[in-house]
Amino acid sequence: MKENPEFAALVSSDPITAAIERYNAAAEGVRRIYEEYNGIKSLFSSAGAGKKENPVMAFTKSYNDAIRELRGMYWKQLFEMPQLFDAMTYEMQQDYQKRIKELEGYDFSAYNILTVREEISRNLLSSIDHEIIKLFDDWTNLHYNDEYSKNVHYYNGWCTNSAYKINRKVIFRCNAFDTYDGRFCPRYNATGHVAQIERVLHFLDTNGKPYNGDELRAVLDAAEKSGQTQKIQLHYFTATFYKKGTCHIEFTNTDVLKSFNLYAGQRKGWLPPTYGKKSYHDMAAADRRVVDSYEGEASYTDTLTRHLIPTQSTFLQLNA
């Protein structure tokens, strides 16, 4: 008896369709195996009556348990596919990984996969908002330490003096080195962290294209193989990793940095309500003072002209 390679072959060019077809073939195979086994297992016990049981073969789990575990394997594989994985925020990725046991109770079918994808779409906007603000808070809450204090720049916020934005250079905790032998291995320790940052920034990018993390994974793989730890060029910034467990990034895309700061500033009420809605000279004097402190007239006019203020409609484009 030999393995039949036909059953392992990719049966469709679409990865999700192929996964459904492979699951259906596997589920049918499991059903037939259990049907055959249940039909003859009584013959094993009758042949060994009165003796210590020594079955020719034995299944340690029920058919229902086997099918549930098979479903779980395929649901887990689905959420690891770039088509879904890269479209979700980090928070959503973690949530769906925790729900694998629940999803074992649902058939791995086109209808159920579509239902999950629609659920992801419905929850995406609120999750994006939460993830953007969380990243901003993570970076700005580090400023109490001298090393991290360079992350922020203070400005005269609207009705508050505690407003700040992220600078072009940011330092944060991220260990990309093996704790045992000190080897540089971003693939295992840092890729997820950096991917989370890159994905958040991508949600703020106004180009309307879906995120694809393959480029990031390829660049960090190449950096690991070559031992490059400094000035690794990624999509929006360069990254430098240090053995003390920090990462220094320097933005090479200042537009997405501006959008990041604007979104956080507006959500926290640090920018006047007229920001982005009126030209500089049409704003009230108090509002102009905030703009002057934040970026200046020329930068503000450029922001308006090139539509760098992200909105929820921008996020919806990414999910189209």
Side-chain angles (χ1 to χ4, degrees):
M1 301 285 289
K2 295 182 179 179
E3 293 183 43
N4 188 338
E6 291 181 11
F7 292 114
L10 189 65
V11 288
S12 173
S13 58
D14 175 62
I16 293 177
T17 302
I20 294 171
E21 293 175 357
R22 287 198 302 272
Y23 165 78
N24 288 335
E28 173 61 16
V30 169
R31 185 196 66 78
R32 289 168 57 187
I33 288 171
Y34 270 87
E35 185 178 59
E36 292 290 338
Y37 174 73
N38 289 332
I40 62 172
K41 68 178 180 180
S42 62
L43 301 178
F44 302 151
S45 57
S46 62
K51 299 179 182 179
K52 184 178 179 181
E53 187 174 353
N54 184 23
V56 175
M57 57 188 297
F59 292 177
T60 58
K61 62 186 69 171
S62 69
Y63 167 72
N64 286 339
D65 287 343
I67 286 295
R68 287 182 66 88
E69 289 192 20
L70 181 67
R71 289 175 185 154
M73 287 170 53
Y74 274 87
W75 281 114
K76 187 174 187 300
Q77 179 197 37
L78 177 74
F79 294 126
E80 291 173 351
M81 289 182 181
Q83 292 92 332
L84 262 71
F85 186 82
D86 287 337
M88 294 188 287
T89 65
Y90 177 78
E91 184 180 63
M92 295 176 79
Q93 292 168 2
Q94 299 302 302
D95 178 57
Y96 278 101
Q97 287 298 325
K98 292 175 183 174
R99 289 179 58 190
I100 295 298
K101 291 300 290 183
E102 172 197 336
L103 290 167
E104 286 180 357
Y106 295 86
D107 194 28
F108 189 75
S109 64
Y111 175 81
N112 285 340
I113 292 172
L114 178 62
T115 301
V116 168
R117 295 182 80 165
E118 288 177 346
E119 180 182 273
I120 291 171
S121 297
R122 285 195 304 273
N123 297 331
L124 189 60
L125 286 180
S126 61
S127 187
I128 289 173
D129 176 82
H130 179 266
E131 199 113 326
I132 293 170
I133 299 305
K134 183 178 183 303
L135 179 63
F136 185 86
D137 288 343
D138 285 347
W139 282 351
T140 55
N141 286 341
L142 293 170
H143 71 269
Y144 64 84
N145 180 295
D146 286 342
E147 183 179 10
Y148 303 112
S149 63
K150 300 174 184 176
N151 287 358
V152 298
H153 168 74
Y154 289 91
Y155 66 93
N156 176 28
W158 185 65
C159 296
T160 176
N161 291 320
S162 60
Y164 40 82
K165 61 182 180 180
I166 297 296
N167 280 321
R168 186 169 178 173
K169 294 181 180 180
V170 181
I171 304 170
F172 58 93
R173 301 184 188 96
C174 181
N175 185 19
F177 294 84
D178 191 284
T179 54
Y180 177 70
D181 60 11
R183 181 174 56 88
F184 179 55
C185 49
R187 250 186 322 178
Y188 301 106
N189 297 334
T191 299
H193 196 158
V194 176
Q196 179 185 358
I197 294 168
E198 195 172 84
R199 190 179 292 106
V200 167
L201 296 174
H202 177 79
F203 289 135
L204 293 155
D205 196 342
T206 54
N207 63 20
K209 296 178 181 177
Y211 178 70
N212 185 340
D214 289 341
E215 181 180 345
L216 169 68
R217 291 183 279 269
V219 170
L220 290 181
D221 282 353
E224 178 175 344
K225 290 173 184 175
S226 65
Q228 180 188 358
T229 62
Q230 298 189 2
K231 298 289 184 181
I232 302 169
Q233 182 64 61
L234 300 176
H235 194 68
Y236 297 110
F237 50 80
T238 62
T240 299
F241 298 95
Y242 293 92
K243 284 192 174 182
K244 60 184 175 180
T246 62
C247 177
H248 294 207
I249 68 174
E250 182 172 355
F251 280 87
T252 52
N253 185 321
T254 54
D255 286 349
V256 78
L257 174 61
K258 178 182 277 192
S259 295
F260 179 54
N261 280 317
L262 286 173
Y263 188 85
Q266 287 182 318
R267 284 279 283 103
K268 290 177 178 291
W270 296 338
L271 293 170
T274 56
Y275 189 100
K277 297 182 177 132
K278 290 186 177 182
S279 68
Y280 179 82
H281 294 287
D282 289 337
M283 299 174 97
D287 293 353
R288 286 201 302 270
R289 283 195 292 272
V290 176
V291 171
D292 290 340
S293 175
Y294 181 78
E295 61 181 325
E297 179 185 352
S299 178
Y300 177 72
T301 302
D302 177 67
T303 298
L304 287 180
T305 303
R306 296 196 294 125
H307 308 289
L308 295 180
I309 304 173
T311 63
Q312 288 202 337
S313 63
T314 312
F315 301 156
L316 286 170
Q317 287 178 33
L318 298 172
N319 197 39

